[in-house]
Amino acid sequence: MSDRYASFANTAPGRTLVKRLGLPDPPRLRRYRLGDPLLPGPALLGAAPEGRLAKAVEEILTGAGVEVGPPDAESRQAAEPASGPTDGERSQRPAALIFDASGIADSTGLRALYDFFHPLARSLGPSGRVIVLGTPPEECDSPRAATAQRALEGLTRSIGKEFGRGTTAQLVYVATTADGPAAATLVSLESTLRFLLSGRSAYVSGQVIRIGAGAATAPDDWVRPLSGRVALVTGAARGIGAELAKVLARDGARVIALDIPAAGDELMRVVNSIGGEAVQLDLTAADAPVRLARHVADRHGQLDIVVHNAGITRDKTLGRMDPARWDTVLDVNLSSQERINEVLLDRDLIRAGGRLIGVSSIAGIAGNRGQTNYATSKAGVIGLVQAMAPVLAPREITVNAVAPGFIETRLTARIPVMLREAGRRMNSMAQGGLPVDVAEAIAWFASPASGGITGNVVRVCGQSLLGA
Ligand code: NAD
């Protein structure tokens, strides 16, 4: 489904009109294309005193081919003049601002953030990246330190709303010991930085990500991190699932694409385009978990990645909702996932180092009129992530979910026009996301390098105002 307004607003006459009338101004987002460098310009790195991460971050970025520097007079001067930047100025602009706030031990120390970001705030290039690194508040050794670390969230969420032009801003809490972060934590930090700095995270902003010390392996090739992995994607015939199958295959995975028999033709088109395999199965059928388990055991032995993407809506206000609408939505979106997980885990069909990934929704966070059934199921997906992550940690299986906002698919094309237009614009990017945006976030969770990331729910919503 195309966003005609955004296309028009990005033409020369469109830009003029949008500016004159003060209309929403959706920027063209930098999205990942194979062969792209991680960043289109340099990253500026700063740190508060006692920070434990800046050195490691510098090494990671330099190793990934990013030009890293401390903020200097030149980059500060690149701050946008009143008339707007010229092309020459634009190319010198920093593409990312990264600040290690992990050492801030009380609220007065937060001033270091102002000192770093204030002179640079207007210097960032289009689709810029802001990342603040912190210590998880629950790991701080004093209430004052925990208070200061929790305060970081207000800064990053506000920058996401303020900087504009496709800038994203995230807070990444990194677990550390007295000796600094563990080696595995640094691998997961690298995986996360590569995701957040690249165009893969174009529609992810205002998020808080937690990285722990779970086992993580750096891939031989960061361009194909899923090489040799087997991934199951449910609901893969179209929309987000179809795009996800393509992205996981692009990253090197062998993809088992599952959908209902009625979507068989669409499913075959997806599978043929990526050299994957199709499983036609209704997830709600009583024998679905066992049939799926048999397929996995016979063909692959075990799975590395399971993405529960299949989902449906059957909207009605609660007083008018028949029981069938409630039951089918809860069963497809939540209960069938639990049944499948149980059988796959009981039969040891998910390898150590496995990745379980759910697809929630901002409706599961904020609630939505007419969607009590859907929002209940999607909040349940978040509950599943939180409950299962500690249970599966000893097996080195991570459990995470994405929560998409307004994504341009058939599901959202059915929304009445005024509501649809509001959903598209009510976020920091002033536009809907694309299925590939959700797929890229899932691929990041799926990476063998992301083993320290578990129990996270990351919204892919352009920092939607809903449930913010
Ligand atoms: P979609 O309707 O385009 O695709 C969903 C797929 O799931 C379809 O191919 C469908 O056949 C399949 N499916 C449905 N019931 C099934 C069953 N019983 N067994 C097997 N397959 C089944 O939807 P989409 O927009 O691509 O959404 C994908 C996921 O993302 C869903 O879980 C949805 O709730 C979630 N989501 C979407 C948006 C959005 O804006 N599009 C926002 C938030 C969350």
Side-chain angles (χ1 to χ4, degrees):
M1 171 107 214
S2 71
D3 181 350
R4 292 207 191 110
Y5 174 83
S7 306
F8 172 69
N10 274 298
T11 62
R15 263 195 302 277
T16 312
L17 200 67
V18 159
K19 274 216 171 96
R20 280 224 184 112
L21 300 179
L23 295 171
D25 188 2
R28 206 183 292 281
L29 303 181
R30 170 168 65 93
R31 286 194 169 87
Y32 173 73
R33 283 167 311 182
L34 214 59
D36 277 356
L38 205 48
L39 279 173
L44 302 184
L45 178 62
E50 309 297 325
R52 281 156 296 161
L53 299 164
K55 198 167 160 288
V57 169
E58 188 172 0
E59 278 170 24
I60 288 170
L61 295 183
T62 312
V66 174
E67 188 191 327
V68 191
D72 52 24
E74 206 178 301
S75 48
R76 283 166 195 205
Q77 269 163 17
E80 193 171 326
S83 55
T86 64
D87 282 349
E89 284 163 342
R90 206 174 267 138
S91 62
Q92 290 165 17
R93 289 168 170 272
L97 305 176
I98 305 172
F99 191 77
D100 174 10
S102 63
I104 297 180
D106 73 32
S107 56
T108 60
L110 294 168
R111 176 62 191 268
L113 294 155
Y114 173 86
D115 292 342
F116 177 77
F117 284 109
H118 166 71
L120 298 170
R122 298 170 68 214
S123 70
L124 201 54
S127 285
R129 297 288 186 261
V130 172
I131 299 174
V132 174
L133 301 154
T135 301
E138 63 279 8
E139 289 183 13
C140 290
D141 51 17
S142 74
R144 274 177 166 252
T147 302
Q149 291 297 322
R150 177 60 180 79
L152 301 174
E153 207 177 307
L155 176 89
T156 48
R157 288 195 197 274
S158 299
I159 287 177
K161 293 183 176 178
E162 196 175 293
F163 279 23
R165 302 197 305 152
T167 297
T168 67
Q170 335 283 353
L171 172 58
V172 182
Y173 284 127
V174 184
T176 51
T177 62
D179 303 328
T185 308
L186 290 179
V187 174
S188 297
L189 178 59
E190 173 157 8
S191 172
T192 302
L193 289 174
R194 283 177 177 269
F195 170 63
L196 294 178
L197 295 175
S198 75
R200 290 178 163 97
S201 59
Y203 202 61
V204 177
S205 191
Q207 297 308 291
V208 180
I209 293 160
R210 286 165 186 272
I211 302 180
T217 322
D220 294 336
D221 178 2
W222 283 98
V223 177
R224 285 173 69 79
L226 304 181
S227 252
R229 312 264 147 174
V230 182
L232 168 70
V233 178
T234 70
R238 63 174 203 230
I240 293 169
E243 199 58 40
L244 175 60
K246 289 178 195 161
V247 166
L248 295 181
R250 177 202 71 192
D251 285 359
R254 169 83 184 166
V255 177
I256 305 170
L258 181 150
D259 214 299
I260 49 173
D265 289 348
E266 283 177 295
L267 188 66
M268 285 317 295
R269 270 198 290 280
V270 173
V271 161
N272 290 338
S273 72
I274 58 168
E277 67 200 61
V279 173
Q280 296 190 18
L281 193 59
D282 183 336
L283 291 168
T284 60
D287 61 351
V290 171
R291 282 177 57 195
L292 184 58
R294 220 177 282 141
H295 177 94
V296 170
D298 293 349
R299 301 284 285 269
H300 303 282
Q302 282 179 308
L303 287 168
D304 299 283
I305 300 157
V306 177
V307 188
H308 292 292
N309 164 75
I312 58 169
T313 51
R314 296 286 184 271
D315 298 356
K316 270 275 183 246
T317 51
L318 190 54
R320 295 179 194 281
M321 187 181 295
D322 55 85
R325 278 177 199 261
W326 179 272
D327 292 342
T328 46
V329 168
L330 265 292
D331 202 27
V332 174
N333 296 3
L334 187 58
S335 308
S336 68
Q337 293 184 24
E338 294 178 298
R339 291 194 295 268
I340 286 169
N341 285 348
E342 271 161 28
V343 171
L344 293 178
L345 289 165
D346 284 353
R347 298 184 180 196
D348 200 21
L349 293 173
I350 303 179
R351 225 183 292 277
R355 307 278 181 259
L356 272 183
I357 302 159
V359 179
S360 179
S361 163
I362 54 168
I365 295 169
N368 205 10
R369 186 178 185 279
Q371 291 199 315
T372 47
N373 50 357
Y374 183 74
T376 302
S377 71
K378 294 298 184 180
V381 170
I382 296 173
L384 187 153
V385 165
Q386 290 168 347
M388 292 295 282
V391 172
L392 293 180
R395 291 173 68 169
E396 292 185 5
I397 296 171
T398 65
V399 193
N400 295 287
V402 289
F406 186 98
I407 306 296
E408 305 279 357
T409 65
R410 262 196 242 175
L411 200 124
T412 45
R414 285 202 296 268
I415 299 173
V417 63
M418 290 309 284
L419 273 180
R420 190 165 69 223
E421 204 38 33
R424 270 187 182 136
R425 308 294 160 220
M426 279 171 54
N427 59 72
S428 296
M429 306 295 162
Q431 59 195 287
L434 301 181
V436 71
D437 299 327
V438 183
E440 298 281 15
I442 292 173
W444 157 60
F445 282 144
S447 168
S450 296
I453 303 161
T454 192
N456 278 254
V457 177
V458 168
R459 295 166 52 146
V460 183
C461 65
Q463 201 178 19
S464 169
L465 296 179
L466 294 182

